[in-house]
Amino acid sequence: MLAVSRHDTSRARARTTASIADVARAANVSIATVSRVFNSPELVAAATADRVLHAVRELGYQPNAIARALMTNRSQIVGIALPDIHGEFYSEILRGADSEARAHGFRLLIASEAREGEGAGPQTGLPYSLIDGLAVMITEPNQPLWQEARSSGVPVCVLDLDVDEPGVDNVLVDNASGAREATEHLLTRAPPHRCYFVGGSESNFDSQQRARGFRAVLERRDGPLRADQIAFGDYTGEWGRRWAEETLLAQGRSGCAVLAGNDEIAMGVLFAVREAGLAVPEDVAIVGFDNTRLCGIARPTISSVRIPLREMGAMAIILLLRRIAEPDCEPQRVRLAAQLVVRESS
Amino acid sequence: MLAVSRHDTSRARARTTASIADVARAANVSIATVSRVFNSPELVAAATADRVLHAVRELGYQPNAIARALMTNRSQIVGIALPDIHGEFYSEILRGADSEARAHGFRLLIASEAREGEGAGPQTGLPYSLIDGLAVMITEPNQPLWQEARSSGVPVCVLDLDVDEPGVDNVLVDNASGAREATEHLLTRAPPHRCYFVGGSESNFDSQQRARGFRAVLERRDGPLRADQIAFGDYTGEWGRRWAEETLLAQGRSGCAVLAGNDEIAMGVLFAVREAGLAVPEDVAIVGFDNTRLCGIARPTISSVRIPLREMGAMAIILLLRRIAEPDCEPQRVRLAAQLVVRESS
DNA sequence: GTGAAAGCGCTAACAT
DNA sequence: ATGTTAGCGCTTTCAC
């Protein structure tokens, strides 16, 4: 085991790892050669490379990522800002992004938005000087966040919000078409005036688009909807249950069809309906959104519109890395399809 | 708007942001003074500071995190390695950790383990030279991962795996006591020989501890268990359903109690049991683990042992940051309590 | 109270 | 094929 120098005097903290100089000394070459062994191995003689690599192993040397980043102006880190990181929805996007980033030698820095009691607002306060790019998901009007991302100067890829700015890439989900497909499907089980949409938050872009798809199909078929056919609340099973009890069941109707804004809402509706003694899908047909694991666990199993979460995360990274490599390339807008998965509930 | 210099010739990529030198020039001070304004404001005269801050705003200057990290040997980034980042379990730990880290000015770098088709194995390949510490969750025997973390040289805090090494902090959950509490509770509904534990993966530490707690209570009460009273599978609703159909219902028994390894398994058991025409909790009492949102959505609502996921993540960060600040402090082992939440299913 | 200067560990010209 | 050298943007002595 060769010795590792400690050129520290009383600095911040003594380094415990070997530096490029230690390796150079041990291999009896210059630091440039050591650097080349890592960055352009074809430029160094086999024998020299061997000596260097031997020293590297001996010393357990790993290039210092910070110093490298300072030189190259590339940290190999991209930030990902999601409205939240909780639950199957967001964590699956995160997983897709992480997987794609790693495949290209990049790492993900988390930047979930500030939550209750955590300060001023929706800004991320991200260390922009240390990330090579930012994938940001904007599901509701959020000017401050968007401003911050935009003005940070780093390449940005936006998820969910449909932006049209030069130099900004975009990943969207075709919620409306998914909703249309689901609605057409529900129409095989109930007449138009017995179809309901129970969405999440009204300000949420996905919610809006899903409602729009639902509305479009019904209006083409049967003219304007009644006000009670579209309701917004939040993305919880609680809300689905409450809606079913207060609206659907209060009307004592049967032969209905419900398109829920997500699977949790669908599940809430499902339970309320069954408790009221009605059968699913015979009396009430139900379709959810997101196609989470819930759908397969519940009985009857729940039909749901699959949102390509993994693909969204991965695609955001793909576009982002492309723009990092080539900052002036044509902005791309990728729209991913959402597809109905039919199960027992409809 | 003052001009921003571009001392780039043909370097990697032209910086678009102002540097400390630009600010110094604009404020007519030295770069040392600019630095002091940020790091030791008490050392600089009020008037000077004003001039500097004015230039800072004018130029939109933000200290470069990379350069700062190189000097201080601190990146303000900690890695967090989880077996996966999917689902409510892991994402809630992540959330707790992120929230705590941000409260202290740190950021989280994700390092989920490699998954299928993504290369060699369970190592993270993390850029250790750029993180100030690592929180790593080890839920199954995983020597390579642990070796890597251990030998990386950065401060480490381990979750789930009970390690006893100098300089390594530890966050554990008292699964066994949670399981004991749940088992005692189930014994109010069924005799010992009618109690079952349906766990997740057998190699999973949590699974093992939960089974151990279950076993301890029953054996104290009634002597050795039958082999069929403890089963392992995986953490899915599918497995819970299959177990219920093949084991519990096949025996045609009623007056049983089931402790499930997690809520999904519990839900699978619940559905299978109800489909078989049995009542929950009257014929079969069920308790899950993790206390996820599922528990409140299902009907009957599911009793579950609450695992303090958020707190685990937060505590890991607290211990980690303490060790980063004070590398030689006494290793701490924090054991968090798991507590039974009784609902309708039992 | 402020400035000059020495690096942090590395990459990339530019030599030879 | 290898070495020398000039920084990347910043913090921190050490002088004044």
Side-chain angles (χ1 to χ4, degrees), chain A residues 301-313:
Chain A
T301 53
I302 302 175
S303 303
S304 189
V305 179
R306 177 179 182 274
I307 304 296
L309 299 170
R310 260 189 106 91
E311 292 86 339
M312 286 171 68

Side-chain angles (χ1 to χ4, degrees), chain A residues 11-341:
Chain A
R11 275 221 156 324
R13 195 159 308 278
R15 284 183 53 74
T16 58
T17 59
S19 82
I20 196 172
D22 296 316
V23 176
R25 207 170 306 125
N28 204 20
V29 295
S30 74
I31 60 167
T33 298
V34 177
S35 177
R36 282 191 200 101
V37 168
F38 285 94
N39 302 303
S40 338
E42 70 280 7
L43 294 183
V44 31
T48 318
D50 277 355
R51 254 173 34 240
V52 170
L53 289 172
H54 183 255
V56 164
R57 270 189 298 277
E58 200 78 353
L59 294 165
Y61 170 71
Q62 281 197 267
N64 182 309
I66 304 265
R68 194 198 285 249
L70 185 58
M71 256 318 277
T72 59
N73 207 15
R74 285 270 169 283
S75 65
Q76 305 289 104
I77 297 181
V78 296
I80 181 162
L82 302 176
D84 195 351
I85 48 179
H86 186 60
E88 203 168 333
F89 190 86
Y90 295 115
S91 68
E92 189 67 9
I93 294 176
L94 198 55
R95 187 149 89 150
D98 182 51
S99 170
E100 189 66 33
R102 289 177 53 176
H104 299 279
F106 278 74
R107 291 286 171 172
L108 249 39
L109 192 74
I110 298 183
S112 68
E113 290 169 36
R115 282 177 303 276
E116 13 84 46
E118 270 182 50
Q123 287 94 336
T124 62
L126 231 81
Y128 289 102
S129 54
L130 96 64
I131 59 179
D132 293 342
L134 175 67
V136 55
M137 182 164 193
I138 304 182
T139 56
E140 315 222 352
N142 188 339
Q143 216 48 43
L145 174 58
W146 173 231
Q147 290 298 358
E148 187 193 296
R150 193 73 194 88
S151 66
S152 70
V154 308
V156 172
C157 177
V158 180
L159 287 137
D160 230 51
L161 171 64
D162 193 346
V163 295
D164 183 17
E165 294 220 23
V168 176
D169 300 292
N170 214 215
V171 176
L172 303 167
V173 171
D174 201 340
N175 278 298
S177 113
R180 284 198 299 273
E181 186 183 355
T183 310
E184 303 273 16
H185 167 70
L186 286 173
L187 282 173
T188 63
R189 292 221 147 253
H193 63 281
R194 289 278 169 85
C195 288
Y196 297 87
F197 175 79
V198 190
S201 147
E202 182 157 14
S203 54
N204 182 281
F205 298 143
D206 294 318
S207 258
Q208 292 169 5
Q209 291 164 21
R210 291 167 190 183
R212 200 170 305 141
F214 173 81
R215 179 186 296 276
V217 169
L218 291 191
E219 294 197 333
R220 191 159 19 134
R221 191 76 66 112
D222 203 35
L225 272 65
R226 294 189 317 280
D228 70 322
Q229 286 185 271
I230 294 190
F232 292 101
D234 55 41
Y235 281 123
T236 65
E238 270 283 285
W239 154 242
R241 167 178 295 276
R242 209 173 66 233
W243 175 86
E245 285 165 355
E246 295 175 1
T247 304
L248 190 70
L249 301 169
Q251 303 186 353
R253 291 220 176 103
S254 175
C256 296
V258 176
L259 179 58
N262 75 353
D263 293 332
E264 285 198 34
I265 297 174
M267 192 121 164
V269 173
L270 173 69
F271 281 117
V273 165
R274 298 196 70 183
E275 273 160 43
L278 298 180
V280 175
E282 293 74 12
D283 299 318
V284 180
I286 301 174
V287 171
F289 249 96
D290 298 351
N291 196 39
T292 53
R293 291 207 290 226
L294 237 51
C295 300
I297 300 177
R299 282 303 181 282
T301 53
I302 302 175
S303 303
S304 189
V305 179
R306 177 179 182 274
I307 304 296
L309 299 170
R310 260 189 106 91
E311 292 86 339
M312 286 171 68
M315 184 53 74
I317 296 300
I318 290 173
L319 295 183
L320 195 52
L321 298 190
R322 190 192 58 135
R323 180 153 306 279
I324 288 170
E326 211 181 323
D328 301 319
C329 61
E330 193 66 16
Q332 253 189 265
R333 171 193 319 273
V334 173
R335 190 178 295 272
L336 300 170
Q339 207 163 19
L340 177 65
V341 178

Side-chain angles (χ1 to χ4, degrees), chain B:
Chain B
M1 194 64 169
L2 303 172
V4 170
S5 82
R6 235 145 288 216
H7 7 60
D8 268 328
T9 53
S10 63
R11 274 221 158 324
R13 193 159 310 277
R15 285 182 52 74
T16 58
T17 59
S19 81
I20 195 170
D22 297 315
V23 176
R25 208 170 306 125
N28 204 21
V29 295
S30 73
I31 60 167
T33 298
V34 177
S35 177
R36 283 191 198 102
V37 168
F38 283 95
N39 302 303
S40 338
E42 70 280 7
L43 294 183
V44 30
T48 318
D50 277 354
R51 254 171 38 238
V52 170
L53 289 173
H54 183 256
V56 164
R57 271 189 297 275
E58 200 77 354
L59 293 166
Y61 170 70
Q62 282 197 267
N64 182 309
I66 305 265
R68 194 199 285 252
L70 185 58
M71 257 317 277
T72 59
N73 207 17
R74 284 269 169 283
S75 65
Q76 305 289 105
I77 296 181
V78 297
I80 181 161
L82 302 176
D84 195 352
I85 49 180
H86 187 59
E88 205 169 333
F89 190 87
Y90 295 115
S91 69
E92 189 67 10
I93 294 175
L94 199 55
R95 187 148 88 149
D98 182 51
S99 168
E100 188 67 33
R102 289 177 52 174
H104 299 279
F106 278 75
R107 291 286 171 173
L108 249 40
L109 193 74
I110 297 183
S112 68
E113 290 169 36
R115 284 177 302 275
E116 12 84 46
E118 270 183 48
Q123 287 94 335
T124 62
L126 263 163
Y128 289 103
S129 55
L130 97 63
I131 58 179
D132 293 341
L134 175 66
V136 56
M137 181 165 193
I138 304 183
T139 55
E140 315 222 351
N142 188 339
Q143 217 47 44
L145 173 59
W146 174 230
Q147 291 297 358
E148 188 193 295
R150 194 72 194 87
S151 66
S152 70
V154 308
V156 171
C157 177
V158 179
L159 288 136
D160 231 50
L161 171 65
D162 193 346
V163 295
D164 183 19
E165 294 220 23
V168 176
D169 300 291
N170 214 216
V171 176
L172 303 167
V173 171
D174 201 340
N175 278 298
S177 114
R180 283 198 300 272
E181 187 183 355
T183 309
E184 303 273 16
H185 168 70
L186 286 172
L187 281 173
T188 64
R189 294 220 146 254
H193 64 279
R194 289 278 170 85
C195 288
Y196 298 86
F197 175 78
V198 190
S201 148
E202 181 158 15
S203 54
N204 182 282
F205 298 143
D206 294 319
S207 259
Q208 292 169 5
Q209 290 163 22
R210 291 166 190 184
R212 200 169 306 140
F214 174 80
R215 179 186 296 276
V217 169
L218 292 191
E219 294 197 334
R220 192 159 19 134
R221 193 75 66 112
D222 202 35
L225 273 66
R226 295 188 317 279
D228 70 321
Q229 286 185 271
I230 293 190
F232 292 100
D234 55 41
Y235 281 123
T236 66
E238 271 283 285
W239 153 241
R241 167 177 296 276
R242 209 174 66 235
W243 176 85
E245 285 165 355
E246 294 175 2
T247 303
L248 190 71
L249 302 169
Q251 303 186 353
R253 291 218 176 104
S254 174
C256 296
V258 176
L259 178 59
N262 75 354
D263 292 332
E264 286 198 34
I265 297 174
M267 192 121 164
V269 173
L270 173 68
F271 281 117
V273 165
R274 298 195 70 182
E275 273 159 44
L278 298 180
V280 175
E282 293 74 11
D283 298 318
V284 179
I286 301 174
V287 171
F289 248 97
D290 296 352
N291 196 40
T292 53
R293 290 207 291 227
L294 237 50
C295 300
I297 300 177
R299 283 302 181 287
T301 53
I302 302 176
S303 303
S304 188
V305 178
R306 177 177 182 275
I307 304 296
L309 299 169
R310 258 190 108 89
E311 292 86 339
M312 286 170 69
M315 184 54 74
I317 296 301
I318 289 173
L319 295 184
L320 195 52
L321 297 190
R322 190 193 57 137
R323 180 154 305 279
I324 288 170
E326 211 181 323
D328 301 319
C329 61
E330 194 66 17
Q332 256 190 264
R333 170 194 319 274
V334 173
R335 189 178 295 273
L336 300 170
Q339 207 163 19
L340 178 65
V341 178
V342 179
R343 295 199 182 80
E344 299 164 359
S345 70
S346 65

